[in-house]
Amino acid sequence: MKRTVTAIWIVVAVLAVSLACVGWVAFRNNQASALPTTIPATVSAPTAKPSATSLPPTAKPSATSLPPTAKPSATSLPPTATVNPVQNITWEWVSVMEQSTGSKTVVPNPGNYTISFYADGTLGGVADCNTFKGSYSQKSGFTIKIGVATTSYCGEASLDQEYTQLLDNVAAGGPDGAGGLALETAGGAQRLLFKNGGAAPSP
């Protein structure tokens, strides 16, 4: 009886082990079929970045490609002409002052006693009823030389002779600062004042 029971338990144990083995094999097969056949690569290929040398360099304008700015040459400009303020004006004699005494003679008709200076160093003028021509210089003062003059008699009240004598003795002069002309004889003995009478006639 004991042997029969033992044999039964042995059979049961063998069946249990067989079932366990079959179950284990089936489990492994199921696990194997559930897994993907290919394993995706976990590391993807790096994305290619454009090489710095593959891009064309940005062209920068060369400083020498622009035309240089032309600067006007100092010699290309015409020289500024210096204007002599006493030239090309008809100066009308207004008065004469005796510096030593302070006495002043006013010319009653300034338009009858004139003088004009020209750029070529010549002069011309009127002494009442007479006319005259000559030369002048502004170097080392102001000098006047009467050259050719008419000698008509202009009357006792005329200042023609006094006027030409004063002009011959002029040693200094220039603009008086008020739009007129001032001439002085040697040593400042007499001071002649003139007003601007307009443009000078042609020499």
Side-chain angles (χ1 to χ4, degrees):
M1 184 66 180
K2 289 182 180 181
R3 290 180 178 180
T4 301
V5 173
T6 301
I8 292 171
W9 278 109
I10 291 171
V11 172
V12 171
V14 171
L15 290 175
V17 171
S18 297
L19 289 175
C21 289
V22 172
W24 174 253
V25 171
F27 175 76
R28 290 301 300 267
N29 290 336
N30 288 336
Q31 289 292 323
S33 62
L35 294 174
T37 57
T38 60
I39 299 175
T42 57
V43 179
S44 60
T47 303
K49 293 183 179 180
S51 172
T53 58
S54 65
L55 297 177
T58 302
K60 294 183 179 180
S62 172
T64 58
S65 65
L66 298 176
T69 303
K71 295 183 179 180
S73 172
T75 58
S76 65
L77 299 177
T80 303
T82 303
V83 177
N84 190 323
V86 305
Q87 292 177 352
N88 302 315
I89 295 173
T90 297
W91 297 107
E92 298 180 352
W93 185 30
V94 175
S95 64
V96 58
M97 174 79 73
E98 291 288 342
Q99 301 287 61
S100 60
T101 62
S103 63
K104 180 179 181 180
T105 300
V106 177
V107 179
N109 44 356
N112 288 349
Y113 302 90
T114 68
I115 189 168
S116 300
F117 304 99
Y118 300 100
D120 62 356
T122 61
L123 61 83
V126 174
D128 201 353
C129 65
N130 292 300
T131 61
F132 61 88
K133 291 185 178 181
S135 61
Y136 74 100
S137 175
Q138 291 177 280
K139 295 179 180 179
S140 301
F142 200 123
T143 57
I144 292 174
K145 182 179 180 181
I146 303 297
V148 179
T150 60
T151 56
S152 299
Y153 177 69
C154 301
E156 292 184 0
S158 178
L159 300 173
D160 62 319
Q161 293 185 14
E162 180 182 358
Y163 179 50
T164 54
Q165 288 175 359
L166 288 169
L167 292 178
D168 263 332
N169 290 322
V170 167
D176 64 357
L181 173 69
L183 299 176
E184 291 186 354
T185 59
Q190 291 92 17
R191 180 180 176 86
L192 293 80
L193 294 180
F194 296 80
K195 68 178 182 178
N196 188 330
S202 300

mmCIF file of all heavy atoms in Angstrom, residues 15-42:
data_model
loop_
_atom_site.group_PDB
_atom_site.id
_atom_site.type_symbol
_atom_site.label_atom_id
_atom_site.label_comp_id
_atom_site.label_asym_id
_atom_site.label_seq_id
_atom_site.Cartn_x
_atom_site.Cartn_y
_atom_site.Cartn_z
ATOM 1 N N LEU A 15 4.588 14.965 -13.289
ATOM 2 C CA LEU A 15 3.631 15.760 -14.074
ATOM 3 C C LEU A 15 3.762 17.241 -13.751
ATOM 4 O O LEU A 15 3.719 18.109 -14.645
ATOM 5 C CB LEU A 15 2.208 15.265 -13.804
ATOM 6 C CG LEU A 15 1.866 13.865 -14.375
ATOM 7 C CD1 LEU A 15 0.462 13.418 -13.926
ATOM 8 C CD2 LEU A 15 1.955 13.878 -15.889
ATOM 9 N N ALA A 16 3.917 17.521 -12.485
ATOM 10 C CA ALA A 16 4.039 18.930 -12.074
ATOM 11 C C ALA A 16 5.291 19.560 -12.658
ATOM 12 O O ALA A 16 5.277 20.699 -13.178
ATOM 13 C CB ALA A 16 4.054 19.030 -10.544
ATOM 14 N N VAL A 17 6.382 18.797 -12.611
ATOM 15 C CA VAL A 17 7.642 19.334 -13.178
ATOM 16 C C VAL A 17 7.502 19.515 -14.678
ATOM 17 O O VAL A 17 7.942 20.501 -15.267
ATOM 18 C CB VAL A 17 8.801 18.385 -12.839
ATOM 19 C CG1 VAL A 17 10.063 18.801 -13.601
ATOM 20 C CG2 VAL A 17 9.078 18.449 -11.347
ATOM 21 N N SER A 18 6.806 18.511 -15.336
ATOM 22 C CA SER A 18 6.628 18.601 -16.794
ATOM 23 C C SER A 18 5.780 19.811 -17.154
ATOM 24 O O SER A 18 6.079 20.568 -18.096
ATOM 25 C CB SER A 18 5.982 17.330 -17.322
ATOM 26 O OG SER A 18 6.833 16.212 -17.082
ATOM 27 N N LEU A 19 4.711 20.020 -16.392
ATOM 28 C CA LEU A 19 3.844 21.170 -16.666
ATOM 29 C C LEU A 19 4.605 22.477 -16.442
ATOM 30 O O LEU A 19 4.451 23.455 -17.191
ATOM 31 C CB LEU A 19 2.600 21.108 -15.754
ATOM 32 C CG LEU A 19 1.587 19.983 -16.101
ATOM 33 C CD1 LEU A 19 0.463 19.943 -15.048
ATOM 34 C CD2 LEU A 19 1.001 20.230 -17.482
ATOM 35 N N ALA A 20 5.413 22.457 -15.396
ATOM 36 C CA ALA A 20 6.203 23.663 -15.114
ATOM 37 C C ALA A 20 7.165 23.964 -16.244
ATOM 38 O O ALA A 20 7.350 25.101 -16.673
ATOM 39 C CB ALA A 20 6.950 23.509 -13.801
ATOM 40 N N CYS A 21 7.796 22.917 -16.748
ATOM 41 C CA CYS A 21 8.746 23.118 -17.859
ATOM 42 C C CYS A 21 8.044 23.610 -19.108
ATOM 43 O O CYS A 21 8.507 24.519 -19.811
ATOM 44 C CB CYS A 21 9.473 21.805 -18.152
ATOM 45 S SG CYS A 21 10.649 21.360 -16.834
ATOM 46 N N VAL A 22 6.856 22.970 -19.385
ATOM 47 C CA VAL A 22 6.096 23.413 -20.575
ATOM 48 C C VAL A 22 5.661 24.850 -20.432
ATOM 49 O O VAL A 22 5.728 25.665 -21.361
ATOM 50 C CB VAL A 22 4.885 22.472 -20.780
ATOM 51 C CG1 VAL A 22 3.979 23.027 -21.871
ATOM 52 C CG2 VAL A 22 5.358 21.081 -21.160
ATOM 53 N N GLY A 23 5.196 25.212 -19.235
ATOM 54 C CA GLY A 23 4.757 26.611 -18.996
ATOM 55 C C GLY A 23 5.912 27.593 -19.136
ATOM 56 O O GLY A 23 5.767 28.687 -19.669
ATOM 57 N N TRP A 24 7.035 27.172 -18.635
ATOM 58 C CA TRP A 24 8.219 28.081 -18.712
ATOM 59 C C TRP A 24 8.654 28.315 -20.165
ATOM 60 O O TRP A 24 8.948 29.444 -20.570
ATOM 61 C CB TRP A 24 9.360 27.468 -17.907
ATOM 62 C CG TRP A 24 10.655 28.235 -18.027
ATOM 63 C CD1 TRP A 24 11.751 27.872 -18.711
ATOM 64 C CD2 TRP A 24 10.921 29.493 -17.472
ATOM 65 N NE1 TRP A 24 12.715 28.809 -18.626
ATOM 66 C CE2 TRP A 24 12.205 29.855 -17.825
ATOM 67 C CE3 TRP A 24 10.158 30.381 -16.647
ATOM 68 C CZ2 TRP A 24 12.805 31.039 -17.448
ATOM 69 C CZ3 TRP A 24 10.774 31.547 -16.268
ATOM 70 C CH2 TRP A 24 12.075 31.897 -16.684
ATOM 71 N N VAL A 25 8.630 27.200 -20.925
ATOM 72 C CA VAL A 25 9.006 27.323 -22.343
ATOM 73 C C VAL A 25 8.011 28.218 -23.072
ATOM 74 O O VAL A 25 8.374 29.083 -23.883
ATOM 75 C CB VAL A 25 9.077 25.927 -22.988
ATOM 76 C CG1 VAL A 25 9.248 26.026 -24.497
ATOM 77 C CG2 VAL A 25 10.236 25.143 -22.401
ATOM 78 N N ALA A 26 6.733 28.045 -22.815
ATOM 79 C CA ALA A 26 5.709 28.882 -23.465
ATOM 80 C C ALA A 26 5.870 30.342 -23.075
ATOM 81 O O ALA A 26 5.728 31.259 -23.890
ATOM 82 C CB ALA A 26 4.315 28.351 -23.092
ATOM 83 N N PHE A 27 6.187 30.598 -21.814
ATOM 84 C CA PHE A 27 6.385 31.964 -21.335
ATOM 85 C C PHE A 27 7.555 32.616 -22.056
ATOM 86 O O PHE A 27 7.481 33.777 -22.505
ATOM 87 C CB PHE A 27 6.611 31.932 -19.819
ATOM 88 C CG PHE A 27 6.940 33.283 -19.241
ATOM 89 C CD1 PHE A 27 5.939 34.231 -19.062
ATOM 90 C CD2 PHE A 27 8.254 33.605 -18.898
ATOM 91 C CE1 PHE A 27 6.271 35.472 -18.543
ATOM 92 C CE2 PHE A 27 8.561 34.841 -18.385
ATOM 93 C CZ PHE A 27 7.576 35.800 -18.201
ATOM 94 N N ARG A 28 8.657 31.892 -22.223
ATOM 95 C CA ARG A 28 9.828 32.432 -22.887
ATOM 96 C C ARG A 28 9.537 32.727 -24.342
ATOM 97 O O ARG A 28 9.991 33.723 -24.895
ATOM 98 C CB ARG A 28 10.996 31.467 -22.772
ATOM 99 C CG ARG A 28 11.571 31.335 -21.357
ATOM 100 C CD ARG A 28 12.043 32.688 -20.849
ATOM 101 N NE ARG A 28 13.063 33.251 -21.701
ATOM 102 C CZ ARG A 28 14.369 33.085 -21.492
ATOM 103 N NH1 ARG A 28 14.797 32.453 -20.422
ATOM 104 N NH2 ARG A 28 15.235 33.613 -22.335
ATOM 105 N N ASN A 29 8.761 31.811 -24.963
ATOM 106 C CA ASN A 29 8.411 32.044 -26.372
ATOM 107 C C ASN A 29 7.561 33.295 -26.541
ATOM 108 O O ASN A 29 7.708 34.057 -27.500
ATOM 109 C CB ASN A 29 7.686 30.818 -26.936
ATOM 110 C CG ASN A 29 8.612 29.609 -27.108
ATOM 111 O OD1 ASN A 29 9.836 29.793 -27.237
ATOM 112 N ND2 ASN A 29 8.066 28.413 -27.108
ATOM 113 N N ASN A 30 6.615 33.474 -25.616
ATOM 114 C CA ASN A 30 5.772 34.676 -25.687
ATOM 115 C C ASN A 30 6.610 35.958 -25.512
ATOM 116 O O ASN A 30 6.393 36.974 -26.167
ATOM 117 C CB ASN A 30 4.673 34.621 -24.632
ATOM 118 C CG ASN A 30 3.605 33.582 -24.979
ATOM 119 O OD1 ASN A 30 3.434 33.233 -26.154
ATOM 120 N ND2 ASN A 30 2.913 33.077 -23.977
ATOM 121 N N GLN A 31 7.551 35.889 -24.577
ATOM 122 C CA GLN A 31 8.413 37.045 -24.330
ATOM 123 C C GLN A 31 9.258 37.354 -25.552
ATOM 124 O O GLN A 31 9.467 38.508 -25.924
ATOM 125 C CB GLN A 31 9.321 36.777 -23.123
ATOM 126 C CG GLN A 31 8.576 36.780 -21.783
ATOM 127 C CD GLN A 31 8.065 38.174 -21.431
ATOM 128 O OE1 GLN A 31 8.742 39.140 -21.713
ATOM 129 N NE2 GLN A 31 6.879 38.267 -20.846
ATOM 130 N N ALA A 32 9.759 36.300 -26.191
ATOM 131 C CA ALA A 32 10.611 36.512 -27.356
ATOM 132 C C ALA A 32 9.843 37.112 -28.512
ATOM 133 O O ALA A 32 10.337 37.965 -29.244
ATOM 134 C CB ALA A 32 11.227 35.176 -27.777
ATOM 135 N N SER A 33 8.572 36.694 -28.687
ATOM 136 C CA SER A 33 7.774 37.233 -29.797
ATOM 137 C C SER A 33 7.345 38.666 -29.544
ATOM 138 O O SER A 33 7.073 39.427 -30.452
ATOM 139 C CB SER A 33 6.543 36.340 -30.025
ATOM 140 O OG SER A 33 5.714 36.345 -28.859
ATOM 141 N N ALA A 34 7.249 39.063 -28.276
ATOM 142 C CA ALA A 34 6.810 40.437 -27.939
ATOM 143 C C ALA A 34 7.909 41.449 -28.190
ATOM 144 O O ALA A 34 7.653 42.624 -28.395
ATOM 145 C CB ALA A 34 6.360 40.488 -26.477
ATOM 146 N N LEU A 35 9.191 41.009 -28.167
ATOM 147 C CA LEU A 35 10.299 41.968 -28.369
ATOM 148 C C LEU A 35 10.444 42.296 -29.844
ATOM 149 O O LEU A 35 10.227 41.442 -30.701
ATOM 150 C CB LEU A 35 11.604 41.355 -27.849
ATOM 151 C CG LEU A 35 11.665 41.130 -26.326
ATOM 152 C CD1 LEU A 35 12.957 40.391 -25.959
ATOM 153 C CD2 LEU A 35 11.586 42.466 -25.606
ATOM 154 N N PRO A 36 10.800 43.579 -30.255
ATOM 155 C CA PRO A 36 11.015 43.931 -31.672
ATOM 156 C C PRO A 36 12.208 43.183 -32.209
ATOM 157 O O PRO A 36 13.158 42.894 -31.495
ATOM 158 C CB PRO A 36 11.264 45.441 -31.655
ATOM 159 C CG PRO A 36 11.751 45.738 -30.274
ATOM 160 C CD PRO A 36 11.058 44.747 -29.375
ATOM 161 N N THR A 37 12.063 42.868 -33.473
ATOM 162 C CA THR A 37 13.131 42.097 -34.084
ATOM 163 C C THR A 37 14.384 42.909 -34.300
ATOM 164 O O THR A 37 15.484 42.371 -34.333
ATOM 165 C CB THR A 37 12.644 41.543 -35.436
ATOM 166 O OG1 THR A 37 12.236 42.623 -36.244
ATOM 167 C CG2 THR A 37 11.462 40.600 -35.242
ATOM 168 N N THR A 38 14.198 44.228 -34.486
ATOM 169 C CA THR A 38 15.379 45.101 -34.654
ATOM 170 C C THR A 38 15.382 46.159 -33.580
ATOM 171 O O THR A 38 14.340 46.694 -33.228
ATOM 172 C CB THR A 38 15.357 45.771 -36.022
ATOM 173 O OG1 THR A 38 14.170 46.551 -36.146
ATOM 174 C CG2 THR A 38 15.420 44.762 -37.159
ATOM 175 N N ILE A 39 16.485 46.418 -33.064
ATOM 176 C CA ILE A 39 16.629 47.434 -32.016
ATOM 177 C C ILE A 39 17.085 48.721 -32.680
ATOM 178 O O ILE A 39 18.126 48.755 -33.333
ATOM 179 C CB ILE A 39 17.652 46.986 -30.973
ATOM 180 C CG1 ILE A 39 17.174 45.693 -30.313
ATOM 181 C CG2 ILE A 39 17.865 48.075 -29.928
ATOM 182 C CD1 ILE A 39 18.176 45.089 -29.343
ATOM 183 N N PRO A 40 16.247 49.797 -32.601
ATOM 184 C CA PRO A 40 16.652 51.068 -33.235
ATOM 185 C C PRO A 40 17.894 51.611 -32.551
ATOM 186 O O PRO A 40 18.073 51.480 -31.360
ATOM 187 C CB PRO A 40 15.446 52.000 -33.010
ATOM 188 C CG PRO A 40 14.750 51.429 -31.817
ATOM 189 C CD PRO A 40 14.969 49.935 -31.873
ATOM 190 N N ALA A 41 18.664 52.200 -33.362
ATOM 191 C CA ALA A 41 19.897 52.784 -32.808
ATOM 192 C C ALA A 41 19.549 53.944 -31.909
ATOM 193 O O ALA A 41 18.717 54.787 -32.227
ATOM 194 C CB ALA A 41 20.800 53.244 -33.947
ATOM 195 N N THR A 42 20.143 53.927 -30.748
ATOM 196 C CA THR A 42 19.846 54.991 -29.783
ATOM 197 C C THR A 42 20.612 56.260 -30.098
ATOM 198 O O THR A 42 20.264 57.344 -29.655
ATOM 199 C CB THR A 42 20.203 54.523 -28.366
ATOM 200 O OG1 THR A 42 21.573 54.139 -28.344
ATOM 201 C CG2 THR A 42 19.344 53.343 -27.973
#
